């Protein structure tokens, strides 16, 4: 077995049935974080005494507040000494918005730590090794798949160190996004448009090119069924070198706007990630979409196809360097449905897992 990769669950001692049950509890506590924890993950923790009874529980309530382990240790009080902490994410090993959980676990005299997901955040990772090094019994990978499903967007963003990108397209059956006179309002029906507002409400940023702003003058806010802006607005991002008039609707005060004088998707995503953007909705025109697709920077595509034909006019995607059918960018549809009269479909362009709408 020399040289064999260490399995993710390798530790000092396999998790017991009681610990697995406690992990189920930790996972359900994590979902209690009703308020969005963004940009932090949803995490839950449980403290078990030597007899296997729960003596403390906690979950993370949002950036800047104590991590789940700390909440659970506080809840357990002196009972934490000699106890086992069961947590849905590997304890962090960094001083960020809060102190490292490794230090608090050691200070509390915990003797064993069981965690689910290995921390994909390079800044905070390494906690398991530190705890092992300090003599604790540590077991990882327990129900890790379920823990990842709690924070799929966060996990992907941390692994890639860039935001997850959902590309939204709305076009006719012949793939046109505008008629030959440039008119593009409205291709799809109002229900499809309402869904796009719901999509905007789920993401951290909406990205378009200067061309879209100059031609369509969109406001790019997330609005409810009554057309009123919702409370948490995504950052509006305009990319490209052309200047935008101060009177453009993206410059109104309904949400924050960032103009990035770049066409380079990698650069744009880097800039957004640095601003804690973990999920971006790409709503740009054919040129910007082509740049993102060519760069392999689209993870998921959500399409609305209207039962209409134009025969001419801009198509939804500009050239992506494909000359032959054998070079087509192919992907798998993962969903299709009717939204009033329009067709809604989605597919994954990168190797990402399936997850439910609204996942963080
Ligand atoms: C959480 N909650 O319960 C745990 C986290 O922003 P900071 O400084 O609080 O650190 C966030 C990182 O800490 C996060 O990306 C993750 O890697 C680690 N663990 N974070 O927000 C928690 N246990
Ligand atoms: Zn922590």
């Amino acid at each position: 077995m020399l040289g064999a990769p260490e399995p993710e669950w390798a530790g000092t001692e396999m998790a017991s049935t009681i610990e697995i049950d406690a992990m189920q509890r930790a996972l359900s506590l994590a979902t209690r974080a009703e308020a969005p924890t963004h940009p932090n993950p949803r995490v839950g923790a449980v403290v078990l005494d030597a007899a296997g009874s729960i003596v403390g529980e906690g979950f993370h309530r949002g950036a800047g507040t104590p991590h789940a382990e700390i909440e659970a240790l506080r809840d357990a009080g002196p009972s934490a000494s000699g106890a086992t902490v069961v947590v849905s994410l590997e304890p962090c090993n960094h001083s960020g918005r809060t102190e490292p959980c490794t230090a608090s676990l050691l200070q509390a005299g915990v003797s064993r730590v069981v965690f689910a997901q290995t921390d994909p955040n390079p800044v905070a990772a390494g906690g398991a090794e530190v705890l092992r090094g300090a003599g604790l019994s540590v077991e990882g990978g327990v129900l890790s798949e379920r823990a990842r499903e709690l924070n799929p967007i966060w996990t992907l963003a941390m692994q890639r160190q860039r935001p997850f990108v959902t590309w939204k397209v709305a076009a006719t059956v012949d793939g046109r996004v505008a008629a030959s006179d440039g008119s593009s309002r409205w291709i799809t029906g109002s229900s499809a448009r309402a869904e796009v507002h719901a999509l905007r409400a789920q993401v951290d940023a909406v990205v378009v090119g200067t061309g879209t702003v100059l031609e369509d003058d969109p406001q790019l806010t997330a609005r409810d069924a009554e057309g009123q802006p919702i409370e948490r607005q995504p950052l509006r991002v305009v990319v490209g070198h052309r200047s935008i008039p101060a009177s453009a609707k993206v410059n109104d005060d309904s949400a924050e706007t960032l103009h990035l004088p770049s066409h380079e998707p990698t650069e744009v995503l880097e800039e957004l990630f640095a601003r804690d953007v973990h999920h971006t909705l790409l709503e740009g025109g054919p040129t910007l979409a082509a740049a993102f697709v060519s760069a392999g920077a689209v993870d998921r595509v959500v399409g609305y196809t209207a039962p209409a034909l134009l025969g001419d006019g801009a198509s939804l995607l500009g050239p992506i360097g494909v000359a032959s059918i054998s070079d087509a960018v192919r992907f798998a549809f993962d969903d299709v449905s009717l939204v009033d009269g329009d067709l809604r479909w989605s597919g994954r362009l990168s190797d990402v897992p399936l997850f439910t709408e609204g996942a963080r």
Side-chain angles (χ1 to χ4, degrees):
M1 284 298 284
L2 253 189
E6 191 191 24
E8 202 196 348
W9 41 264
T12 28
E13 208 180 296
M14 293 286 281
S16 67
T17 320
I18 288 174
E19 288 169 347
I20 294 170
D21 287 348
M23 187 62 84
Q24 311 258 26
R25 176 71 187 148
L27 289 164
S28 93
L29 284 166
T31 62
R32 287 257 202 102
E34 278 135 19
T37 54
H38 180 84
N40 288 33
R42 300 192 291 175
V43 185
V46 163
V47 183
L48 295 176
D49 67 11
S53 304
I54 294 183
V55 293
E57 292 187 335
F59 59 89
H60 181 64
R61 292 164 196 266
T65 69
H67 289 180
E69 304 91 308
I70 307 306
E71 289 282 358
L73 286 176
R74 277 187 194 161
D75 190 32
S79 313
S81 174
T84 295
V85 169
V86 178
V87 54
S88 61
L89 181 65
E90 178 184 10
C92 73
N93 188 39
H94 81 308
S95 298
R97 293 180 178 92
T98 60
E99 287 309 300
C101 290
T102 44
S104 306
L105 289 162
L106 293 174
Q107 205 182 2
V110 166
S111 60
R112 177 165 159 84
V113 171
V114 177
F115 66 90
Q117 182 181 11
T118 300
D119 196 333
N121 179 1
V123 173
E129 270 323 299
V130 166
L131 294 171
R132 265 184 210 123
L136 269 70
S137 152
V138 180
E139 191 65 46
V142 177
L143 303 183
S144 54
E145 198 50 45
R146 284 204 36 214
R148 267 192 289 272
E149 283 166 6
L150 273 177
N151 305 293
I153 299 286
W154 176 82
T155 298
L156 282 155
M158 289 300 140
Q159 283 170 343
R160 295 173 188 197
Q161 295 290 293
R162 69 150 171 88
F164 183 92
V165 177
T166 297
W167 172 34
K168 178 231 99 183
V169 295
T172 61
V173 165
D174 56 331
R176 312 282 173 181
V177 291
S180 58
D181 69 356
S183 58
S184 60
R185 264 182 199 174
W186 297 104
I187 291 170
T188 59
S190 56
S191 300
R193 297 204 303 275
E195 284 202 10
V196 171
H197 282 277
L199 260 178
R200 286 179 184 166
Q202 287 172 18
V203 301
D204 310 316
V206 175
V207 176
V208 296
T210 46
T212 296
V213 171
L214 295 171
E215 280 149 40
D216 300 346
D217 194 20
Q219 193 186 23
L220 293 181
T221 48
R223 297 185 288 276
D224 63 19
E226 278 79 50
Q228 294 306 309
I230 59 155
E231 203 178 303
R232 179 185 175 270
Q233 289 292 338
L235 174 68
R236 300 180 289 190
V237 183
V238 182
V239 306
H241 294 283
R242 283 189 280 173
S243 59
I244 300 299
S247 60
K249 285 198 195 121
V250 288
N251 285 328
D252 70 13
D253 58 8
S254 53
E256 217 189 308
T257 300
L258 179 68
H259 186 172
L260 294 175
S262 168
H263 280 305
E264 179 56 57
T266 319
E267 212 172 273
V268 170
L269 294 177
E270 217 170 85
E271 179 69 42
L272 294 182
F273 188 70
R275 291 168 186 260
D276 283 335
V277 169
H278 293 165
H279 193 177
T280 291
L281 186 65
L282 178 63
E283 285 203 55
T287 313
L288 190 66
F292 272 74
V293 171
S294 304
V298 174
D299 298 301
R300 186 155 186 261
V301 51
V302 176
Y304 292 91
T305 300
L309 298 165
L310 284 164
D312 198 2
S315 94
L316 61 90
L317 188 65
I320 51 168
V322 171
S324 168
I325 195 76
S326 57
D327 295 333
V329 172
R330 294 189 184 270
F331 62 96
F333 286 129
D334 58 35
D335 191 39
V336 63
S337 60
L338 266 177
V339 177
D340 268 346
D342 297 316
L343 198 61
R344 176 194 196 273
W345 51 268
S346 61
R348 285 165 290 163
L349 265 78
S350 73
D351 184 23
V352 293
L354 248 185
F355 48 79
T356 47
E357 289 301 332
R360 293 219 57 96

